[in-house]
Each structure stands twice: as structure tokens, then as C-alpha cells.
């Protein structure tokens, strides 16, 4: 039997983060047995859901796992990993697992953690590739320390594992957790403010990047969006400038979208944005710089000033709609 690759499932409020399936896809690509590890107070429904795509599921149950805490997850996973020695442990890079659990679990296991990988492989142990120096270089990194080695995977970098007709076996285990020593207590959650459009559901998305230059130009893109019957979205700098709500951000620390049509205006095509949109059916890019990386992903590209294109598109569409 091939080596086990453990993929830590991310979930909240009983809902599985669908990108967890990308970890299972990465595990299969590594040639391993794709094992989903789910920690929860009641992991049964999630375990069942995961079993359709995983070769095996380890469901770790404890009351203290009702909310995610790095200490709780580390106490649940570390002893089992020490005992069973999986070939590698994977988790999603963004959100709480990669950021809070990854470093803690790696230190408990005294092993190496490669973060933000866009590709994984073996070379006398686990190796991972990640973009560095403003994505100008691809670094190949090797996890040092005793196995099992760990890696966090960039969202969108791996194809999700496909569902199988024969569900993976589910192993139910009671986690041994000292609830008093977690060092962390979740007091509650506040939903982030989101705009009126749900960009993950939209079939057409018009995206404003930093190139829009100001709030007024970003807002003026709403008319094009309306005429196309789509949703307005943005890159992260636009959110950081305060021109758009955080719920409109596409990318590794925002949302993943797969619209039928993506129109990016003043978007450079940084990988952190691209991982959230590259599965779009048709990608159109407008950028005044012909060397902008977004053109590598675009089906149609316009090297032009976005304001000019925006105005002409709106005029043409208004005319077409009468
Ligand atoms: C941990 C981490 C997480 C991140 N997460 C995300 C994320 O989720 N989403 C995200 O988007 N980014 C994310 N980023 C930021 C990312 O690295 C890039 O900085 C960002 O995507 C760039 O956004 P942009 O394309 O709008 O801006 P820029 O890279 O500044 O590009 C602006 C583009 O506009 C063009 N332009 C300027 N004026 C015009 C004009 N008048 N007409 C036409 N074109 C014009 C320029 O040629 C340029 O290509 C993250 C970064 C880090 C470190």
C-alpha cells in the first residue's frame, strides 16, 4: 500500500471548506493514499462527506474540538501522527489551519513545514515549490527535520480529488485533549461585511484592479456590470484602499470564482489573485502594460487604458440594449 498523505480538513459551522478536496487531489498527485483527517465535536457528517473523495478518513472527536483552536487540533493530531508516521501532512495555506495550526503542529512534531506551495513532490523527502520575490522566482524547498513532513498548499493550485463510487473507509477515534491547556478560547464569530452581489455565484464578473486608480472609477464599473448582468469584484489592493468591500476580493486571501466570463481591468495578474480566478471559462484582460502577467492567462487581451475601454463597452452595450 502507498504511503499515507494526511490532509487536514478545514470546516466551520458544520460546513466543509470545499478547497479541502484540493489537498486530497495533491495527495493523489504525490502518489499517496489520500487520507482526510477531520477534527470536530461531531465529525460524522463531515467524515461521510469526505469519504466520497478520500481513500480513507480519520475522524477525531472531542467536545473541545467544537471550534477550531490550534492547541486543540495539535493535541488531537500530533500523537497520532507520531504513532502512525504518515508520509506527509497537508493543509490549506490561507485561513486558520495553515496560519495557526501549521507552525504549531510542525513544532510539536519537530518537523519541517513548507508553506504556500503551488506544487509538491518527493526528493528524499517532501519538497514543495513556491513563488518568491514578488513571484519572480520559483523556489524549490525541502522540509528538514524528522518526518512526517508538512506543507501548506495554495488554494487553487491543485485540482480537487474526484468523487469515487466506492467511499473511503472511516476510522472514528476519540481524541485525547486536555481542554484546560488549550491556551485559546473562541468567544464568537462575526461575519465579514459583504457587498450585495455574491461573486462566487455570478456568471459574469468585472474585476477592478489597482489600475482603476480611484474610488470613482471603480464605482463607474458598476454600470458595465449591470449591463452585463454580472457582479463587480476586485483585487486586494482595491480593498486595502477602501474602494471595495472585503467580500468582493478574489484570490488566495479572498474568494475563488469560476464565472463563465471574467473581465479584469487594471489587474496585473499576481499569482495570489490568479489562483482565485484562473478556472474562469473565458478571461478578458485590459491592461495598459503589454507585459502584465494577466495576459498569460487571458483568452482575450486589450493593451489599452481601461477608462477608454470601459466607456466604449458601456456605450456599445447601452446601444445594443436599446
Ligand atoms: C499573503 C498574500 C495574500 C494575497 N492575497 C491576495 C488576494 O486574495 N487577492 C489579490 O488580488 N491579491 C492578493 N495579494 C496581493 C497580490 O500579491 C498583488 O499585489 C495584487 O493581486 C495586485 O493587485 P492589482 O493587480 O490590482 O495591482 P497591481 O499589481 O498594482 O497592478 C495594477 C495593474 O494595472 C495596470 N494599470 C494601471 N493603470 C491602468 C490603466 N489606466 N488602464 C489599464 N491598466 C492600468 C498596471 O499596468 C498594472 O498591471 C496577496 C498578497 C499576499 C502577500
Amino acid at each position: 500500500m502507498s504511503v499515507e498523505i494526511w490532509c487536514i480538513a478545514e470546516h466551520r459551522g458544520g460546513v466543509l471548506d470545499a478547497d479541502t478536496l484540493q489537498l486530497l487531489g495533491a495527495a493523489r498527485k504525490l502518489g499517496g493514499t489520500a487520507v482526510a483527517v477531520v477534527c470536530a465535536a461531531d465529525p460524522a457528517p463531515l467524515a461521510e462527506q469526505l469519504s466520497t473523495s478520500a481513500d480513507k478518513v480519520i475522524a477525531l472527536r472531542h467536545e473541545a474540538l467544537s471550534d477550531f483552536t490550534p492547541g486543540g487540533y495539535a493535541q488531537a493530531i500530533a500523537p497520532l501522527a507520531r504513532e502512525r508516521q504518515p508520509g506527509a501532512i497537508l493543509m490549506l495555506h490561507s485561513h486558520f489551519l495553515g496560519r495557526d495550526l501549521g507552525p504549531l503542529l510542525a513544532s510539536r512534531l519537530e518537523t519541517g513545514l513548507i508553506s504556500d506551495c503551488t506544487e509538491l513532490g518527493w526528493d528524499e523527502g517532501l519538497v514543495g515549490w513556491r513563488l518568491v520575490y514578488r513571484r519572480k522566482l520559483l523556489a524549490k524547498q525541502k522540509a528538514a527535520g524528522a518526518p512526517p513532513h508538512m506543507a501548506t498548499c495554495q488554494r487553487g493550485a491543485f485540482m480537487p480529488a474526484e468523487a469515487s463510487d466506492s467511499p473511503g473507509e472511516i476510522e472514528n477515534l476519540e481524541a485525547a485533549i486536555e481542554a484546560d491547556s488549550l491556551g485559546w478560547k473562541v468567544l464568537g464569530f462575526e461575519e465579514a461585511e459583504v457587498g450585495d452581489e455574491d461573486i462566487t455565484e455570478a456568471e459574469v464578473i468585472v474585476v477592478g484592479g489597482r489600475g482603476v486608480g480611484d474610488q470613482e472609477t471603480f464605482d463607474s464599473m458598476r454600470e458595465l456590470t449591470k449591463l452585463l448582468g454580472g457582479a463587480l469584484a476586485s483585487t486586494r489592493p482595491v480593498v486595502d484602499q477602501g474602494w471595495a468591500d472585503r467580500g468582493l476580493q478574489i484570490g488566495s486571501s479572498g474568494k475563488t470564482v469560476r464565472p463563465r466570463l471574467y473581465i479584469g481591468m487594471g489587474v496585473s495578474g499576481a499569482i495570489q489573485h490568479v489562483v482565485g480566478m484562473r478556472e474562469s471559462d473565458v478571461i478578458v484582460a485590459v491592461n495598459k502594460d503589454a507585459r502584465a502577467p494577466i495576459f498569460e492567462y487571458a483568452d482575450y487581451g486589450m493593451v489599452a487604458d481601461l477608462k477608454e475601454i470601459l466607456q466604449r463597452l458601456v456605450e456599445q452595450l447601452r446601444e445594443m440594449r436599446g
Side-chain angles (χ1 to χ4, degrees):
M1 188 146 154
S2 60
V3 68
E4 285 193 356
I5 310 291
W6 286 11
C7 306
I8 314 299
E10 187 147 341
H11 60 93
R12 192 167 74 77
V15 179
L16 183 71
D17 184 325
D19 288 349
T20 299
L21 302 188
Q22 293 170 17
L23 299 178
L24 296 168
R28 293 244 171 84
K29 209 171 164 198
L30 278 170
T33 302
V35 179
V37 177
V38 56
C39 301
D42 175 18
L46 293 164
E48 199 159 316
Q49 194 182 341
L50 284 160
S51 70
T52 59
S53 303
D55 300 319
K56 183 181 165 186
V57 182
I58 299 176
L60 290 162
R61 203 211 74 81
H62 194 283
E63 281 310 311
L65 296 171
S66 58
D67 281 314
F68 166 77
T69 60
Y73 270 47
Q75 281 194 39
I77 298 165
L80 200 65
R82 261 188 232 110
E83 181 194 323
R84 300 197 181 175
Q85 293 288 312
I89 302 178
L90 309 180
M91 55 191 79
L92 292 168
H93 179 71
S94 60
H95 297 185
F96 44 76
L97 288 193
R99 288 187 185 154
D100 295 334
L101 175 65
L104 181 65
L105 189 57
S107 74
R108 296 259 169 105
L109 293 172
E110 296 180 8
T111 191
L113 168 70
I114 319 168
S115 58
D116 206 10
C117 298
T118 54
E119 193 56 85
L120 293 169
W122 301 110
D123 186 356
E124 294 170 5
L126 185 69
V127 287
W129 283 262
R130 56 180 300 206
L131 287 154
V132 293
Y133 295 109
R134 293 177 65 90
R135 62 178 237 104
K136 288 192 172 63
L137 292 178
L138 191 60
K140 180 182 177 186
Q141 298 185 328
K142 190 174 159 89
H149 293 146
M150 293 176 51
T152 64
C153 300
Q154 194 166 106
R155 285 173 190 267
F158 297 89
M159 290 305 287
E162 290 191 3
S164 139
D165 293 338
S166 50
E169 165 212 350
I170 299 175
E171 182 183 9
N172 291 296
L173 295 171
E174 193 70 26
I177 293 179
E178 283 178 36
D180 295 341
S181 65
L182 293 184
W184 184 304
K185 192 172 180 189
V186 178
L187 300 177
F189 289 97
E190 276 176 40
E191 291 295 335
E193 201 183 315
V194 290
D196 25 37
E197 310 100 337
D198 180 358
I199 59 169
T200 61
E201 296 291 327
E203 296 211 329
V204 176
I205 300 184
V206 181
V207 181
R210 191 178 354 224
V212 299
D214 53 38
Q215 176 88 66
E216 199 185 337
T217 310
F218 182 72
D219 287 343
S220 72
M221 294 174 79
R222 279 191 198 279
E223 179 159 17
L224 173 63
T225 314
K226 264 192 202 142
L227 286 161
L228 290 169
L232 183 62
S234 77
T235 60
R236 180 158 142 177
V238 171
V239 172
D240 292 343
Q241 292 283 347
W243 301 336
D245 289 340
R246 193 151 295 279
L248 300 189
Q249 182 184 320
I250 294 172
S252 59
S253 53
K255 293 185 176 164
T256 300
V257 295
R258 292 184 183 86
R260 288 176 59 200
L261 175 62
Y262 166 106
I263 304 176
M265 295 196 163
V267 175
S268 63
I271 190 68
Q272 291 88 355
H273 179 73
V274 167
V275 293
M277 51 62 82
R278 65 180 165 195
E279 297 293 326
S280 307
D281 287 351
V282 176
I283 297 173
V284 178
V286 183
N287 195 305
K288 65 179 183 184
D289 178 1
R291 292 162 307 158
I294 190 76
F295 290 126
E296 289 165 30
Y297 307 92
D299 298 288
Y300 301 95
M302 285 176 247
V303 180
D305 189 312
L306 68 92
K307 287 188 188 171
E308 194 189 322
I309 300 297
L310 186 61
Q311 195 186 346
R312 283 167 66 176
L313 276 175
V314 168
E315 279 168 12
Q316 291 269 329
L317 284 162
R318 271 199 214 131
E319 217 174 287
M320 280 167 68
R321 310 264 142 128

